Amino acid sequence: MKGSSRCETEDEAFLYLRNNVFIEPLVEHWYAWHYLLSPVARSFFMRKNRKQLRSFLKYPEFHSGISSGKVSTVRLSMDDVFSVEQYLDGNQQQEAQQEQLLSAVEKLDELVSQFQGDSLEPLYQEIPSELKGRAELYYARNQSGAYRLFENAFDGVFDRCESVLFTLKTEHTKRPPVFNTPRLSCHETQFLIDVDFKEKILDKIFEARRTPVDFNKFCREMNLSDEAKQQFRILFTSECEHKEPSAPSHETIRYFGHATLLIETSSESLLIDPWIQSESFEKDGKTSYSLSDLPEHIDYVVITHGHADHFNVETLLQIRHKVGQIIVPKSSGDMIEDPSLAKILKQIGFGNVIEVDPFEKIQGNTFQLHTLPFLGEHGDLRVDAKSSYYIETDSEQLLILSDSKFIQAEIYQYLLDNTLKVSKMFVGMECEGAPYTWLYEPVLNQGHQPEYAKNRRLTGCDCDETEQLIQLINPDSVFVYAMGLEPWLEYLIGKPATFDDYIVREYKRLEEKMSLEDRPLKLLYWSEEISI
């Protein structure tokens, strides 16, 4: 049924989800990302979140007056004081459970710091009770003490506290920064559903962008009251706003903004790092791609790493119903700072998840994918769940580097040793990233040294590093992407970079160098169809 279906009687109304509805998946009313979907890491980041809220209650005038350019403090207004007080009061039991777990982890940190080289077996009795049966003590090869946590042993330790906030976008809608602003109340254009992310009811909602649903029957399935049904109704329309993308007659590569690439071969599709908005944006006559520009079925989603602008739960939930398989780099699975992306995906309802290590191959019908190590951009912490990719199709050889940094040339010798030619290289040049403590401080123990943070930054390649990479790999053409330039990204990554910022000046410096070599180079921005 298409937009011509306008059957709206009291008993039956087939409706479509509007394109200008966006969602925010929430855990304990905070925007969901991979650290809030792993119990131990979630406890650390929720401690930080609650600390911010208590600071807001102590200094509400200061926080409500923060300029929009800053993203390091909670962004609420004086009108939110009562909501914050209510939230903290209602969250006391969850907070107590999380603090109990964190206290146990901190005691274990202190215990392993005292290892002197003797047998660890007697020390198992000193493991805090909350972690007994969930941890293993060991010595690293340099004989420093360490431990691993069995990630699966923490399943069900807390209530999931998951919900999805739907917002009907208007000309006045502006999304507050998601990492420091909880969603504590609903406005008249919003609707909150308390639902585990894995539930299939979400697929039905998102499928309704393309295929109408019997709205009244749907509301009965969701057990909505008459009042809730009326509020939910504003998200739907009798007109189909979905545009059917034309099936490509040949291989295509489309850039959807930031780090998202859609590769369509003669019979398969691969979607890289999907972070896609529900509706298009327009500027200077150029229209960005949106969710409705995706094909009806996506054979493979490919994730480079867990940062929320690459592993975007908001987008993943909305496309889950059309995804065949999803490829993710394998994590250590036992490190608080490196939770398993595969486990998280299964937990939020994805079935066919493929974990990959560096230097593996996956064979599709019309492509071959190779995995390569991804160095840098994680503050020198041991985060295994990150990967670059080499994808070979019938007519293209693509190197997808995302935010990886050119640190060790020998990694790319693999391409040369296997005579893997590169026709198009995609590389991030966000070379002015924040100190690693900006992201990871909540999970660092007292042993970390803040004075080193300025040199341990979340950065990709600068001009000189990218030039060295190009000289080594010798691609036919180079595309610089994932620069955070698109204005619709602000709610997640802060104020977008401008074309006068350092990272773009570095790109322009590279552009001058490549023009001397007559090598094609392009900065991807907004949206782009890349010719094959």
Side-chain angles (χ1 to χ4, degrees), residues 254-269:
R254 283 187 284 166
Y255 172 69
F256 275 65
H258 198 56
T260 304
L261 296 167
L262 175 64
I263 303 162
E264 293 180 277
T265 70
S266 57
S267 63
E268 291 175 295
S269 55

Side-chain angles (χ1 to χ4, degrees), residues 376-379 431-436 452-459:
E377 221 250 338
H378 290 71
C431 48
E432 197 182 23
Y436 82 111
Y452 293 128
K454 65 180 184 296
N455 295 323
R456 294 171 61 183
R457 307 184 75 88
L458 309 179
T459 61

Side-chain angles (χ1 to χ4, degrees), residues 300-340:
Y300 294 88
V301 165
V302 182
I303 301 295
T304 60
H305 59 296
H307 291 166
D309 54 332
H310 298 262
F311 184 81
N312 186 253
V313 177
E314 172 189 340
T315 299
L316 289 170
L317 287 179
Q318 293 182 85
I319 65 173
R320 181 177 65 193
H321 64 278
K322 59 172 62 185
V323 171
Q325 301 184 74
I326 185 162
I327 298 170
V328 291
K330 186 182 294 183
S331 75
S332 62
D334 53 16
M335 307 286 286
I336 295 168
E337 64 271 27
D338 188 28
S340 168

Side-chain angles (χ1 to χ4, degrees), residues 225-320:
S225 66
D226 289 342
E227 182 181 358
K229 177 181 173 181
Q230 186 176 359
Q231 186 68 14
F232 191 43
R233 175 64 177 80
I234 67 171
L235 307 177
F236 291 81
T237 175
S238 59
E239 299 285 350
C240 181
E241 299 174 348
H242 177 83
K243 55 184 178 184
E244 286 292 342
S246 57
S249 58
H250 53 83
E251 285 192 14
T252 63
I253 303 172
R254 283 187 284 166
Y255 172 69
F256 275 65
H258 198 56
T260 304
L261 296 167
L262 175 64
I263 303 162
E264 293 180 277
T265 70
S266 57
S267 63
E268 291 175 295
S269 55
L270 298 95
L271 184 63
I272 316 295
D273 286 349
W275 178 21
I276 307 170
Q277 303 305 301
S278 60
E279 66 171 350
S280 300
F281 290 76
E282 293 189 10
K283 181 181 180 182
D284 299 330
K286 194 171 186 178
T287 303
S288 68
Y289 292 127
S290 67
L291 288 171
S292 64
D293 290 293
L294 292 173
E296 184 179 348
H297 179 75
I298 300 164
D299 294 284
Y300 294 88
V301 165
V302 182
I303 301 295
T304 60
H305 59 296
H307 291 166
D309 54 332
H310 298 262
F311 184 81
N312 186 253
V313 177
E314 172 189 340
T315 299
L316 289 170
L317 287 179
Q318 293 182 85
I319 65 173
R320 181 177 65 193

Side-chain angles (χ1 to χ4, degrees), residues 78 117 135 149 151 183 222 242 248 285 319 342 353 366 416 443 445 448 450 461 506 514 529:
M78 296 290 293
L149 298 177
E151 195 168 3
R183 285 19 182 177
M222 296 173 63
H242 177 83
I319 65 173
V353 183
T366 56
L416 305 178
V443 298
N445 62 27
H448 86 280
C461 293
E506 280 291 279
M514 292 301 101
E529 182 162 337

Side-chain angles (χ1 to χ4, degrees), residues 382-397:
R382 182 182 170 184
V383 176
D384 291 358
K386 55 189 192 297
S387 180
S388 299
Y389 298 96
Y390 175 87
I391 301 172
E392 187 172 15
T393 70
D394 291 339
S395 58
E396 290 288 344
Q397 304 83 36

